[in-house]
Amino acid sequence: MLSTLAFAETPSDQGAARNAGASTAPSVQAVAPLPSAQPVIGSVTFVIGKASLERAGETLSLMAGSELKVGDLLLTPQNGHVHVRFVDGALVSLRPSSTLKIQEYRFDPQNPSASQVRFELEQGVVRAISGKAAESAKDKFRLNTPLAAIGVKGTDFVVEATPGRVNAIVNQGAIVLAPFDAQCSVQGSGPCATSVSRELTALAKGIAITYSSNMPSPQLLPTGQLRGSELINLVSPLSAASTSMNVASGASSASGTGASNSGEAAASSSANNRVQQSQVDAKAFAALNQILSSTGAPNALTWGRWGSTQVQDNFTIPFITAMQGRSVTVGDGTFFLFRTESNMPNLLGLPQGNVNFALQNAQATFTDFANNAQAASVSNGVLGINFSSLNFNTSLNLTTPGAGSGTSAQVLQSSGQLNPNTGIFLSSTTPVPGSNSGSQVATPTVAGAVSLDTRQAGYVFTLPTAQGQFKGATLWGR
C-alpha cells in the first residue's frame, strides 16, 4: 500500500561506505549537553543500529533522548533507523544508509509564522511529517537534496536521494520539487516556483515524482516504474518480513538438497540478510507507529449538530463551531462528523489487519410513528475495522426506558466496506433480522469515518423497529 511508510527490505547502497565508517567511529554514551546559548531544537526518540551524529568536528553516538541542534549531521548505518521529534511537533524518520543535515530550524511558539526550517538530505531515504513550523510558514520550509529543492504544503512525504536522482511520494498534503538553477538556489527557503518546478499531491495515489540530472524537468510516474528505487518497496514491514522469511526458507531448503555452488550460497546469505533487515524494519515501524499515535490531535474527530436536538445532548458541539479547522466526513442532517486533517499521518498508513475500537461516547433517540422522541441508551458497543480487507463489523445494544414491549431492547448489527482513500465506511444494504422482533426484518444503516491517524472512529446509525426507529451517533477510540 503506497500510503504506508515502508521501511524496505534492502537498504540503499548509496553512501554505505561513509555510513559504515560512521558506525565504527569512536562514540560516547550520550550526546553532551548543549550550551544554554544553543537551544535544543529536537530530540531522538528511537534508534536502531549504531547511528551517529557529527557536530563541531566530533562524532557522537545517537540514542533515545539525544538532543539535537542546528548544524547537526545525522548518519545511519546499513541497518540503522533514527526517529526525531522536533520542538514544534514535527517528526522525521531516517532510514538505513542515510545522511541528513539540520541546516536551519527556528520556531517560536509565540510567533510560528516566523519559523524557518531547512534540511539537507545528502543521501538515503527520509520521511518528514510537518509540525507547527511548516504548517504556519509553508513558504519557509525546505528539504534540499543533491539535485533539487522540495517545499511543502502541510505534508507527510518520503524522499529518496542519491547523487544522480531524487524520488518522492506524498502521503498527505503536497510537495513542490524544483531542480537547482539560477531561480532556485541551495541557500533559498521554501518551495521554488520556477518554469520547471512540479507539484505532487497525495490525491495522486500510486504516483511518485522523480528527477535526475539528465531530465529537463521533474516527471510524475507510477511508483512501480522507479527502477532500482527504495520507494517501490513501500509495503508493511511485517509483510516484508514474511516475504523475506519465505525466500530464506526456500534458499535454505535448496542448500539442504546438496547444492554447494557459490551462487546458491550467496543467495542464501542474501536472503538471511533480508530476514534480519526486515526484522529491524518491523521494529522501527512499530516504534514510529507508537510515536505517531502519541502526537495525534486529542479531538481528531468531532461531532457537530445542526440546530438543536429533541433530547439532551452530551457530546456534540454546534455545527458552526465544529467546522472551524475541520472537514466534514459523514452526516445524517442532524449529526455531522468532522475530522481534523492537518499535520496527520496519511490515512490507513499505520495499522494492518483487524483493529478493535472501544465505544467512548454516544447519543441516541427513539422516535415512534407518532413522532414522539425519547432518549435511548447505548451499551455493549463493538466495532472492528480490518484495514487489510477494508471492511468493518459493529454492534450496539439500544434500549428505551419505559418503552413498549418489543422496543425496550434492540441490537444493531451492521457490516460494510471501508474506502481506503477517504477513510469513510458504509454499511451494506443487505437486510438483517431485527433483535427481539420476531419475524420483523430491520435494515440498519451505518455511515462513519476514521481519523487520519486511525486512532478514532465515529458513525451515525439508524435502526428501524416495529414501533419506530432508533437514530444516533457514536465515537470510538483505541
Side-chain angles (χ1 to χ4, degrees):
M1 183 181 297
L2 182 61
S3 63
T4 303
L5 166 65
F7 294 101
E9 293 180 44
T10 307
S12 170
D13 290 331
Q14 296 292 337
R18 178 176 186 179
N19 287 318
S23 67
T24 58
S27 62
V28 296
Q29 291 301 307
V31 175
L34 299 177
S36 58
Q38 299 173 327
V40 173
I41 60 168
S43 62
V44 174
T45 57
F46 179 80
V47 177
I48 290 180
K50 296 181 179 180
S52 60
L53 175 152
E54 291 184 1
R55 175 188 295 162
E58 291 186 87
T59 299
L60 307 170
S61 291
L62 281 180
M63 59 184 62
S66 294
E67 297 177 338
L68 302 178
K69 70 171 186 176
V70 171
D72 285 348
L73 184 70
L74 309 180
L75 304 100
T76 57
Q78 290 187 4
N79 67 340
H81 294 262
V82 172
H83 297 165
V84 175
R85 179 184 292 164
F86 289 92
V87 291
D88 68 324
L91 299 173
V92 165
S93 177
L94 196 62
R95 288 200 69 257
S97 301
S98 300
T99 304
L100 179 73
K101 186 169 185 178
I102 306 172
Q103 294 182 321
E104 191 169 8
Y105 212 102
R106 287 188 290 154
F107 173 69
D108 180 0
Q110 305 304 317
N111 187 20
S113 62
S115 300
Q116 189 97 16
V117 177
R118 187 168 72 245
F119 296 112
E120 180 183 4
L121 180 63
E122 295 182 0
Q123 61 185 18
V125 179
V126 67
R127 178 185 183 181
I129 299 174
S130 300
K132 293 181 180 179
E135 178 186 5
S136 303
K138 298 180 180 67
D139 60 331
K140 298 175 184 176
F141 178 97
R142 168 78 71 85
L143 172 67
N144 285 332
T145 69
L147 293 178
I150 294 176
V152 306
K153 297 183 177 180
T155 301
D156 170 2
F157 64 102
V158 185
V159 176
E160 174 188 43
T162 69
R165 181 180 290 271
V166 56
N167 302 312
I169 61 170
V170 179
N171 293 326
Q172 183 70 26
I175 62 173
V176 176
L177 190 150
F180 292 124
D181 57 20
Q183 287 75 46
C184 184
S185 69
V186 176
Q187 292 77 27
S189 64
C192 288
T194 70
S195 59
V196 292
S197 61
R198 196 81 183 264
E199 179 175 304
L200 174 65
T201 76
L203 298 177
K205 300 297 182 182
I207 300 298
I209 189 168
T210 185
Y211 176 73
S212 66
S213 54
N214 60 359
M215 290 181 178
S217 63
Q219 297 180 5
L220 301 181
L221 74 165
T223 55
Q225 296 182 19
L226 293 175
R227 301 185 184 280
S229 168
E230 291 284 311
L231 300 190
I232 63 174
N233 293 314
L234 291 187
V235 295
S236 165
L238 299 179
S239 298
S242 175
T243 301
S244 295
M245 289 180 181
N246 290 336
V247 172
S249 176
S252 299
S253 176
S255 299
T257 60
S260 60
N261 64 63
S262 59
E264 289 175 335
S268 178
S269 175
S270 176
N272 288 330
N273 288 338
R274 288 197 298 273
V275 171
Q276 294 175 358
Q277 183 59 52
S278 61
Q279 291 170 342
V280 170
D281 290 344
K283 182 178 179 182
F285 185 85
L288 183 61
N289 187 357
Q290 183 177 7
I291 293 170
L292 293 174
S293 66
S294 68
T295 60
N299 295 307
L301 293 181
T302 300
W303 280 106
R305 66 179 181 272
W306 185 263
S308 60
T309 59
Q310 293 177 280
V311 296
Q312 184 177 2
D313 180 10
N314 62 356
F315 86 125
T316 67
I317 61 177
F319 184 95
I320 192 68
T321 303
M323 68 185 297
Q324 301 302 313
R326 305 179 184 92
S327 300
V328 69
T329 57
V330 297
D332 63 359
T334 300
F335 298 114
F336 295 84
L337 183 62
F338 288 83
R339 184 166 62 192
T340 303
E341 299 192 355
S342 62
N343 293 329
M344 302 295 288
N346 189 45
L347 184 65
L348 311 186
L350 301 179
Q352 293 291 317
N354 192 69
V355 173
N356 293 318
F357 291 78
L359 183 63
Q360 295 181 331
N361 211 333
Q363 163 75 30
T365 60
F366 177 78
T367 305
D368 63 21
F369 293 124
N371 205 32
N372 298 311
Q374 61 178 308
S377 62
V378 180
S379 61
N380 298 330
V382 174
L383 173 62
I385 299 179
N386 193 308
F387 290 92
S388 297
S389 58
L390 300 178
N391 55 43
F392 79 94
N393 287 277
T394 189
S395 65
L396 297 171
N397 285 2
L398 303 169
T399 59
T400 52
S405 174
T407 63
S408 60
Q410 294 285 330
V411 177
L412 178 147
Q413 292 182 318
S414 184
S415 62
Q417 297 299 306
L418 172 73
N419 186 314
N421 298 317
T422 64
I424 293 175
F425 52 91
L426 303 173
S427 58
S428 64
T429 57
T430 304
V432 297
S435 175
N436 301 332
S437 58
S439 60
Q440 172 71 30
V441 175
T443 307
T445 63
V446 167
V450 295
S451 60
L452 295 189
D453 62 356
T454 69
R455 305 298 299 178
Q456 289 185 304
Y459 65 73
V460 288
F461 65 86
T462 62
L463 177 63
T465 73
Q467 288 75 32
Q469 177 177 265
F470 287 92
K471 180 178 179 181
T474 62
L475 185 65
W476 309 73
R478 65 181 179 93

